[in-house]
Amino acid sequence: RGDYAVAAAKYNAYLKRAPDSEREYTMSWYNLGYCAFDRNDLDQARRSFEKFLSLYSSRDRYRADATNRLGDVAYADRRFEEAVGAYDRTLAMGLFGIPENQYAEYKRAVTLGILGRTEQKQAALRQIAAAGGDYAGEASYELGRSFIAQEKYAEGAAQLERFIDDFPSSPRRAQAFSDLGLAYLNLGNRDKSLYYYNRVVEQSPQSSEAKEAMQGIRDIYVSEGNV
C-alpha cells in the first residue's frame, strides 16, 4: 500500500521475535531495505541491505538486486567509485540476461562518465545498445549525448539519428530532437537544426524541450535577418 513506515515497524517487530535461521528473517532485512530506500532514508537502506547480504548466500536475483541498491545509495551520496564497485559485484555474479544485470551495466556506464572515464563509458554504452535489452534505448541516447558533451557534434548527431530510428517509441525522443537541433546548429547546418527543433515542438509542445527549441528557432531566424 506504500505505507513504508508501518511496514518497517512490523518487520522490526517480527525480527525481535523470529529465529535468525528462518528464511523469512533474512528476507525481512531485504524488505526493510526497500522500506527505507523508498522513504529516501539511504543510511538505513544501506544498513538493511548489507545485513541481508551478510545472511543470504544464494547468487540469484535477490542478491543482485540488493547489491544494485547499495550501488544506488552510494551513487546518491556521490560516492561514485563505491557505486561502480557495487555494480561490478553484480556483474561478477554472471547472471546474464536478467534485468538486474542490465541495470548494473547501464548504471555503471553512467557513473564512469561522472568519474571522467569517458572512453570507458562510451565503450560500455555501445555494448549495451548493441546487445538489446531493457536499457538499450537509454544507452543509445546517452551515447549520443556524451559525444555532444565532448563537442563531437557530427558523431553525436549520427548516434542520435540512429537512436531515433531504432527506438521510435522512446520517451527520450523529444530530448533527442532538441539535442540534434543543437548539434546541427553547432555544425553550421541551420536547415537541419530548424528541422529538428520544429520536430520537438510538434511532438511535445508543452515540454521544457519545446521552450528551448522555440528559443533556438527564434535565434536562427534572427541571425538570418528573418525577424
Side-chain angles (χ1 to χ4, degrees):
R1 295 176 180 175
D3 197 339
Y4 302 115
V6 172
K10 293 187 181 296
Y11 281 124
N12 279 314
Y14 166 79
L15 289 170
K16 290 176 181 178
R17 295 167 173 79
D20 60 11
S21 58
E22 295 295 323
R23 185 178 188 276
E24 288 82 3
Y25 181 92
T26 300
M27 295 307 300
S28 291
W29 284 106
Y30 174 83
N31 291 328
L32 267 176
Y34 265 107
C35 288
F37 192 80
D38 289 326
R39 296 200 315 269
N40 204 35
D41 185 351
L42 298 182
D43 191 51
Q44 181 59 52
R46 176 185 57 78
R47 291 195 299 269
S48 297
F49 284 124
E50 285 177 344
K51 180 67 173 178
F52 165 74
L53 289 169
S54 73
L55 297 168
Y56 194 78
S57 58
S58 299
R59 294 167 66 87
D60 60 9
R61 292 185 63 179
Y62 281 115
R63 188 170 192 84
D65 184 64
T67 305
N68 281 344
R69 297 295 79 78
L70 289 178
D72 293 344
V73 168
Y75 183 95
D77 285 341
R78 303 188 65 80
R79 292 179 279 113
F80 298 119
E81 291 284 3
E82 186 177 329
V84 169
Y87 301 133
D88 280 339
R89 289 196 299 277
T90 298
L91 297 173
M93 295 179 201
L95 303 172
F96 304 111
I98 65 169
E100 292 79 9
N101 202 75
Q102 295 170 7
Y103 178 87
E105 288 178 329
Y106 178 71
K107 286 291 290 187
R108 178 182 180 274
V110 171
T111 311
L112 287 171
I114 294 172
L115 289 168
R117 303 178 196 171
T118 305
E119 290 186 5
Q120 287 178 269
K121 171 188 176 178
Q122 291 174 344
L125 291 173
R126 283 193 188 93
Q127 289 181 342
I128 297 165
D134 293 344
Y135 292 90
E138 289 288 332
S140 180
Y141 171 70
E142 185 63 29
L143 181 58
R145 277 182 59 104
S146 71
F147 287 132
I148 290 175
Q150 292 179 293
E151 299 184 358
K152 296 180 177 179
Y153 296 113
E155 291 178 63
Q159 176 59 39
L160 288 169
E161 286 177 332
R162 279 194 293 273
F163 162 75
I164 288 169
D165 290 341
D166 293 342
F167 302 97
S169 60
S170 171
R172 300 285 194 183
R173 196 170 174 82
Q175 291 171 285
F177 288 143
S178 181
D179 293 332
L180 280 163
L182 175 64
Y184 278 113
L185 185 61
N186 280 281
L187 289 168
N189 191 333
R190 293 178 177 175
D191 289 341
K192 269 205 162 182
S193 181
L194 274 173
Y195 169 75
Y196 281 116
Y197 278 143
N198 277 314
R199 292 199 70 179
V200 178
V201 178
E202 290 167 4
Q203 176 156 330
S204 188
Q206 303 302 319
S207 66
S208 59
E209 289 83 12
K211 292 179 182 177
E212 294 172 4
M214 289 297 292
Q215 183 63 46
I217 291 168
R218 175 190 180 279
D219 291 344
I220 290 170
Y221 281 130
V222 169
S223 68
E224 293 177 341
N226 189 1
V227 179

Coordinates of all heavy atoms in Angstrom, one line a residue, residues 104-167:
A104 N 22.7 -2.9 -13.8 CA 24.0 -2.7 -13.3 C 25.0 -2.2 -14.4 O 25.8 -1.3 -14.2 CB 24.6 -3.9 -12.6
E105 N 24.8 -2.8 -15.6 CA 25.7 -2.4 -16.7 C 25.4 -0.9 -17.1 O 26.4 -0.2 -17.3 CB 25.3 -3.3 -17.9 CG 25.8 -4.7 -17.9 CD 25.4 -5.5 -19.1 OE1 24.4 -5.3 -19.7 OE2 26.2 -6.4 -19.4
Y106 N 24.1 -0.6 -17.1 CA 23.8 0.8 -17.5 C 24.3 1.8 -16.5 O 24.9 2.8 -16.8 CB 22.3 1.0 -17.8 CG 21.9 2.4 -18.2 CD1 22.3 2.9 -19.4 CD2 21.3 3.2 -17.3 CE1 22.0 4.2 -19.7 CE2 20.9 4.5 -17.6 CZ 21.3 5.0 -18.8 OH 21.0 6.3 -19.1
K107 N 23.9 1.6 -15.2 CA 24.3 2.5 -14.1 C 25.8 2.6 -14.0 O 26.4 3.7 -13.7 CB 23.7 2.1 -12.8 CG 22.2 2.3 -12.7 CD 21.9 3.8 -12.7 CE 22.3 4.4 -11.4 NZ 21.9 5.8 -11.2
R108 N 26.5 1.5 -14.2 CA 28.0 1.5 -14.2 C 28.5 2.4 -15.3 O 29.4 3.2 -15.0 CB 28.5 0.1 -14.4 CG 30.1 0.0 -14.4 CD 30.5 -1.4 -14.6 NE 32.0 -1.5 -14.7 CZ 32.7 -1.3 -15.8 NH1 32.1 -0.9 -16.9 NH2 34.0 -1.4 -15.7
A109 N 28.0 2.3 -16.5 CA 28.4 3.2 -17.6 C 28.2 4.7 -17.3 O 29.1 5.5 -17.5 CB 27.7 2.8 -18.8
V110 N 27.0 5.0 -16.8 CA 26.7 6.4 -16.4 C 27.7 6.9 -15.4 O 28.2 8.0 -15.4 CB 25.2 6.5 -16.0 CG1 25.0 7.9 -15.4 CG2 24.3 6.2 -17.2
T111 N 27.9 6.1 -14.4 CA 28.8 6.5 -13.2 C 30.2 6.7 -13.7 O 30.9 7.6 -13.2 CB 28.7 5.5 -12.1 OG1 27.3 5.2 -11.8 CG2 29.4 6.0 -10.8
L112 N 30.7 5.8 -14.6 CA 32.0 6.0 -15.2 C 32.1 7.4 -15.9 O 33.2 8.1 -15.8 CB 32.3 4.9 -16.2 CG 32.6 3.5 -15.6 CD1 32.7 2.5 -16.8 CD2 33.9 3.5 -14.8
G113 N 31.1 7.8 -16.5 CA 31.1 9.2 -17.1 C 31.2 10.3 -16.1 O 32.0 11.2 -16.3
I114 N 30.5 10.1 -15.0 CA 30.7 11.1 -13.9 C 32.1 11.2 -13.4 O 32.6 12.3 -13.0 CB 29.7 10.8 -12.8 CG1 28.2 11.0 -13.3 CG2 29.9 11.7 -11.6 CD1 27.2 10.5 -12.4
L115 N 32.7 10.0 -13.4 CA 34.1 10.0 -12.9 C 35.1 10.5 -13.9 O 36.3 10.4 -13.6 CB 34.5 8.5 -12.5 CG 33.8 8.0 -11.2 CD1 33.9 6.5 -11.0 CD2 34.3 8.8 -10.0
G116 N 34.6 10.9 -15.1 CA 35.5 11.4 -16.1 C 36.1 10.3 -17.0 O 37.0 10.6 -17.8
R117 N 35.7 9.1 -16.9 CA 36.2 8.0 -17.7 C 35.4 7.8 -18.9 O 34.7 6.8 -19.1 CB 36.3 6.7 -16.9 CG 37.1 6.8 -15.6 CD 37.0 5.5 -14.8 NE 37.4 5.7 -13.4 CZ 37.3 4.8 -12.5 NH1 36.8 3.6 -12.7 NH2 37.7 5.0 -11.2
T118 N 35.4 8.8 -19.8 CA 34.5 9.0 -20.9 C 34.7 7.8 -21.9 O 33.7 7.3 -22.4 CB 34.7 10.3 -21.6 OG1 34.6 11.4 -20.6 CG2 33.7 10.5 -22.7
E119 N 35.9 7.4 -22.2 CA 36.1 6.4 -23.2 C 35.5 5.0 -22.7 O 34.9 4.3 -23.4 CB 37.5 6.2 -23.5 CG 38.1 7.4 -24.3 CD 39.5 7.1 -24.8 OE1 40.1 6.0 -24.6 OE2 40.1 8.1 -25.4
Q120 N 35.7 4.8 -21.4 CA 35.1 3.5 -20.8 C 33.6 3.6 -20.8 O 32.9 2.6 -21.1 CB 35.6 3.4 -19.4 CG 37.1 2.9 -19.2 CD 37.5 2.8 -17.8 OE1 37.9 3.8 -17.2 NE2 37.3 1.7 -17.2
K121 N 33.1 4.8 -20.5 CA 31.6 4.9 -20.5 C 31.1 4.7 -21.9 O 30.1 3.9 -22.1 CB 31.3 6.4 -20.1 CG 29.8 6.7 -20.3 CD 29.5 8.2 -20.1 CE 28.0 8.5 -20.3 NZ 27.7 9.9 -20.1
Q122 N 31.7 5.3 -22.9 CA 31.2 5.1 -24.3 C 31.3 3.7 -24.8 O 30.4 3.2 -25.5 CB 31.9 6.1 -25.2 CG 31.5 7.6 -24.9 CD 32.3 8.5 -25.7 OE1 33.4 8.2 -26.3 NE2 31.9 9.8 -25.8
A123 N 32.4 3.0 -24.4 CA 32.5 1.6 -24.8 C 31.5 0.8 -24.2 O 30.9 -0.1 -24.9 CB 33.9 1.1 -24.4
A124 N 31.2 1.0 -22.9 CA 30.1 0.3 -22.2 C 28.7 0.5 -22.9 O 28.0 -0.4 -23.1 CB 30.1 0.6 -20.8
L125 N 28.5 1.8 -23.2 CA 27.2 2.1 -23.7 C 27.0 1.5 -25.1 O 25.9 1.1 -25.5 CB 27.0 3.7 -23.9 CG 26.9 4.4 -22.5 CD1 26.9 5.9 -22.8 CD2 25.6 4.1 -21.8
R126 N 28.1 1.5 -25.9 CA 28.0 0.8 -27.2 C 27.6 -0.7 -27.1 O 26.7 -1.2 -27.8 CB 29.3 0.9 -28.0 CG 29.6 2.3 -28.6 CD 30.8 2.2 -29.5 NE 31.2 3.5 -30.0 CZ 32.2 4.2 -29.4 NH1 32.8 3.7 -28.3 NH2 32.5 5.4 -29.9
Q127 N 28.2 -1.3 -26.1 CA 27.9 -2.8 -25.9 C 26.5 -2.9 -25.5 O 25.8 -3.9 -25.9 CB 28.8 -3.3 -24.8 CG 30.3 -3.5 -25.3 CD 31.2 -4.1 -24.2 OE1 30.8 -4.1 -23.0 NE2 32.3 -4.6 -24.6
I128 N 26.0 -2.1 -24.6 CA 24.6 -2.2 -24.1 C 23.6 -2.0 -25.2 O 22.6 -2.7 -25.4 CB 24.4 -1.2 -22.9 CG1 25.3 -1.6 -21.7 CG2 22.9 -1.2 -22.5 CD1 25.3 -0.5 -20.7
A129 N 23.9 -0.9 -26.0 CA 22.9 -0.6 -27.1 C 22.9 -1.7 -28.1 O 21.9 -2.1 -28.7 CB 23.4 0.7 -27.7
A130 N 24.1 -2.3 -28.4 CA 24.2 -3.4 -29.4 C 23.5 -4.7 -28.9 O 23.0 -5.4 -29.7 CB 25.6 -3.6 -29.8
A131 N 23.6 -4.9 -27.6 CA 23.1 -6.2 -27.1 C 21.6 -6.2 -27.0 O 21.0 -7.3 -26.9 CB 23.7 -6.4 -25.7
G132 N 20.9 -5.1 -27.0 CA 19.5 -5.0 -26.8 C 19.2 -5.1 -25.3 O 20.0 -5.0 -24.5
G133 N 17.9 -5.4 -25.0 CA 17.5 -5.4 -23.6 C 16.9 -4.2 -23.2 O 16.7 -3.2 -23.9
D134 N 16.5 -4.2 -21.9 CA 15.7 -3.1 -21.3 C 16.4 -1.7 -21.4 O 15.7 -0.7 -21.4 CB 15.4 -3.4 -19.8 CG 14.5 -4.6 -19.7 OD1 13.9 -5.0 -20.7 OD2 14.4 -5.1 -18.6
Y135 N 17.7 -1.7 -21.4 CA 18.4 -0.4 -21.3 C 19.1 0.0 -22.6 O 19.9 0.9 -22.7 CB 19.4 -0.4 -20.2 CG 18.7 -0.4 -18.8 CD1 18.4 -1.7 -18.2 CD2 18.3 0.7 -18.2 CE1 17.7 -1.7 -17.0 CE2 17.6 0.7 -17.0 CZ 17.3 -0.5 -16.4 OH 16.6 -0.6 -15.2
A136 N 18.8 -0.7 -23.7 CA 19.4 -0.4 -25.0 C 19.1 1.0 -25.5 O 20.0 1.7 -26.0 CB 19.0 -1.5 -26.0
G137 N 17.8 1.4 -25.4 CA 17.4 2.7 -25.8 C 18.1 3.8 -25.0 O 18.6 4.8 -25.5
E138 N 18.1 3.6 -23.7 CA 18.7 4.6 -22.8 C 20.2 4.7 -23.1 O 20.8 5.8 -23.2 CB 18.6 4.2 -21.3 CG 17.2 4.4 -20.8 CD 16.8 5.9 -20.6 OE1 17.7 6.7 -20.4 OE2 15.6 6.2 -20.7
A139 N 20.9 3.6 -23.4 CA 22.3 3.6 -23.7 C 22.6 4.3 -25.0 O 23.5 5.0 -25.1 CB 22.8 2.1 -23.7
S140 N 21.7 4.0 -26.0 CA 21.9 4.6 -27.3 C 21.8 6.1 -27.2 O 22.6 6.9 -27.8 CB 20.9 4.0 -28.3 OG 21.0 4.6 -29.6
Y141 N 20.8 6.6 -26.5 CA 20.6 8.0 -26.3 C 21.7 8.7 -25.5 O 22.3 9.7 -25.9 CB 19.3 8.3 -25.6 CG 19.1 9.7 -25.2 CD1 18.8 10.7 -26.2 CD2 19.1 10.1 -23.9 CE1 18.7 12.0 -25.8 CE2 19.0 11.5 -23.5 CZ 18.8 12.4 -24.5 OH 18.6 13.7 -24.1
E142 N 22.1 8.0 -24.4 CA 23.2 8.6 -23.6 C 24.5 8.6 -24.4 O 25.3 9.5 -24.2 CB 23.3 7.7 -22.3 CG 24.3 8.3 -21.3 CD 24.0 9.6 -20.8 OE1 22.8 9.9 -20.7 OE2 24.9 10.4 -20.4
L143 N 24.7 7.7 -25.2 CA 26.0 7.7 -26.0 C 26.0 8.9 -26.9 O 27.0 9.6 -27.1 CB 26.0 6.4 -26.9 CG 27.2 6.2 -27.8 CD1 28.5 6.3 -27.0 CD2 27.1 4.9 -28.6
G144 N 24.9 9.2 -27.6 CA 24.8 10.4 -28.4 C 25.0 11.7 -27.6 O 25.8 12.6 -28.0
R145 N 24.4 11.8 -26.4 CA 24.6 12.9 -25.6 C 26.1 13.1 -25.1 O 26.6 14.2 -25.0 CB 23.7 12.8 -24.4 CG 22.3 13.3 -24.6 CD 21.5 13.2 -23.4 NE 22.1 14.0 -22.3 CZ 21.6 15.2 -21.9 NH1 20.5 15.7 -22.5 NH2 22.1 15.9 -20.9
S146 N 26.7 12.0 -24.9 CA 28.1 12.0 -24.4 C 29.0 12.6 -25.5 O 30.0 13.4 -25.2 CB 28.6 10.7 -24.0 OG 28.8 9.8 -25.1
F147 N 28.7 12.3 -26.8 CA 29.5 12.9 -27.9 C 29.3 14.4 -27.9 O 30.2 15.2 -28.1 CB 29.2 12.3 -29.2 CG 29.7 10.9 -29.4 CD1 28.8 9.9 -29.8 CD2 31.0 10.6 -29.1 CE1 29.3 8.6 -30.0 CE2 31.5 9.3 -29.3 CZ 30.6 8.3 -29.8
I148 N 28.0 14.9 -27.7 CA 27.7 16.3 -27.8 C 28.4 17.0 -26.6 O 28.9 18.1 -26.8 CB 26.2 16.5 -27.8 CG1 25.7 16.0 -29.1 CG2 25.9 18.0 -27.5 CD1 24.2 16.1 -29.2
A149 N 28.5 16.4 -25.4 CA 29.1 17.0 -24.3 C 30.6 17.2 -24.6 O 31.3 18.1 -24.0 CB 28.9 16.1 -23.1
Q150 N 31.2 16.3 -25.4 CA 32.6 16.4 -25.8 C 32.8 17.4 -27.0 O 33.9 17.6 -27.5 CB 33.2 15.1 -26.2 CG 33.3 14.1 -25.1 CD 33.9 12.8 -25.7 OE1 33.2 12.0 -26.4 NE2 35.1 12.4 -25.3
E151 N 31.7 18.0 -27.5 CA 31.6 18.9 -28.6 C 32.0 18.1 -29.9 O 32.5 18.7 -30.9 CB 32.5 20.1 -28.4 CG 32.1 20.9 -27.3 CD 32.9 22.2 -27.1 OE1 33.8 22.4 -27.9 OE2 32.6 23.0 -26.2
K152 N 31.8 16.8 -29.9 CA 31.9 16.0 -31.1 C 30.5 15.9 -31.8 O 29.8 14.9 -31.7 CB 32.4 14.6 -30.8 CG 33.8 14.6 -30.2 CD 34.3 13.1 -29.9 CE 35.7 13.1 -29.3 NZ 36.1 11.7 -29.0
Y153 N 30.1 17.1 -32.4 CA 28.8 17.2 -32.8 C 28.4 16.3 -34.0 O 27.2 15.8 -34.0 CB 28.5 18.7 -33.2 CG 28.7 19.6 -32.0 CD1 29.7 20.5 -32.0 CD2 27.8 19.6 -30.9 CE1 29.9 21.4 -30.9 CE2 27.9 20.4 -29.9 CZ 29.0 21.3 -29.8 OH 29.2 22.1 -28.7
A154 N 29.3 16.0 -34.9 CA 29.0 15.1 -36.0 C 28.7 13.7 -35.5 O 27.7 13.1 -35.9 CB 30.1 15.2 -37.0
E155 N 29.6 13.2 -34.6 CA 29.4 11.9 -34.1 C 28.1 11.8 -33.2 O 27.3 10.9 -33.3 CB 30.6 11.5 -33.2 CG 31.8 11.2 -34.0 CD 33.0 10.9 -33.1 OE1 32.9 9.9 -32.4 OE2 34.0 11.7 -33.1
G156 N 27.9 12.9 -32.5 CA 26.7 12.9 -31.6 C 25.4 12.9 -32.5 O 24.4 12.2 -32.2
A157 N 25.4 13.7 -33.5 CA 24.2 13.8 -34.4 C 24.0 12.4 -35.1 O 22.8 11.9 -35.1 CB 24.4 14.8 -35.5
A158 N 25.0 11.8 -35.5 CA 24.9 10.5 -36.2 C 24.3 9.5 -35.2 O 23.4 8.7 -35.6 CB 26.2 10.0 -36.7
Q159 N 24.8 9.5 -34.0 CA 24.3 8.5 -33.0 C 22.9 8.8 -32.6 O 22.1 7.9 -32.5 CB 25.2 8.5 -31.8 CG 24.7 7.6 -30.6 CD 24.7 6.2 -31.0 OE1 25.5 5.7 -31.7 NE2 23.6 5.5 -30.5
L160 N 22.5 10.0 -32.4 CA 21.1 10.4 -32.0 C 20.2 10.1 -33.1 O 19.0 9.7 -32.9 CB 21.1 11.8 -31.6 CG 21.7 12.2 -30.3 CD1 21.8 13.7 -30.1 CD2 20.9 11.5 -29.1
E161 N 20.6 10.2 -34.4 CA 19.7 9.8 -35.5 C 19.5 8.3 -35.5 O 18.4 7.8 -35.8 CB 20.3 10.4 -36.8 CG 20.1 11.9 -36.9 CD 20.7 12.5 -38.2 OE1 21.7 11.9 -38.7 OE2 20.2 13.5 -38.6
R162 N 20.6 7.6 -35.2 CA 20.4 6.1 -35.1 C 19.4 5.8 -34.0 O 18.6 4.9 -34.1 CB 21.7 5.4 -34.8 CG 22.6 5.2 -36.1 CD 23.7 4.3 -35.8 NE 24.7 4.8 -34.9 CZ 25.7 5.6 -35.3 NH1 25.9 5.9 -36.5 NH2 26.6 6.0 -34.4
F163 N 19.6 6.5 -32.9 CA 18.7 6.3 -31.7 C 17.2 6.5 -32.1 O 16.3 5.7 -31.8 CB 19.0 7.2 -30.6 CG 18.0 7.4 -29.5 CD1 17.7 6.4 -28.6 CD2 17.2 8.6 -29.5 CE1 16.7 6.5 -27.7 CE2 16.2 8.7 -28.6 CZ 16.0 7.7 -27.6
I164 N 16.9 7.6 -32.8 CA 15.6 7.9 -33.3 C 15.0 6.8 -34.2 O 13.8 6.5 -34.1 CB 15.5 9.3 -33.9 CG1 15.7 10.4 -32.9 CG2 14.2 9.5 -34.7 CD1 16.0 11.8 -33.5
D165 N 15.8 6.3 -35.1 CA 15.4 5.3 -36.0 C 15.1 4.0 -35.3 O 14.2 3.3 -35.6 CB 16.4 5.1 -37.1 CG 16.5 6.2 -38.1 OD1 15.5 7.0 -38.1 OD2 17.5 6.4 -38.7
D166 N 16.0 3.6 -34.3 CA 16.0 2.3 -33.6 C 14.9 2.3 -32.5 O 14.4 1.2 -32.2 CB 17.3 2.0 -33.1 CG 18.4 1.7 -34.1 OD1 18.0 1.5 -35.3 OD2 19.6 1.8 -33.8
F167 N 14.6 3.4 -31.9 CA 13.7 3.4 -30.8 C 12.6 4.5 -30.9 O 12.6 5.5 -30.2 CB 14.5 3.7 -29.5 CG 15.6 2.7 -29.3 CD1 16.9 3.0 -29.7 CD2 15.3 1.4 -28.7 CE1 17.9 2.0 -29.5 CE2 16.4 0.5 -28.5 CZ 17.7 0.8 -28.9

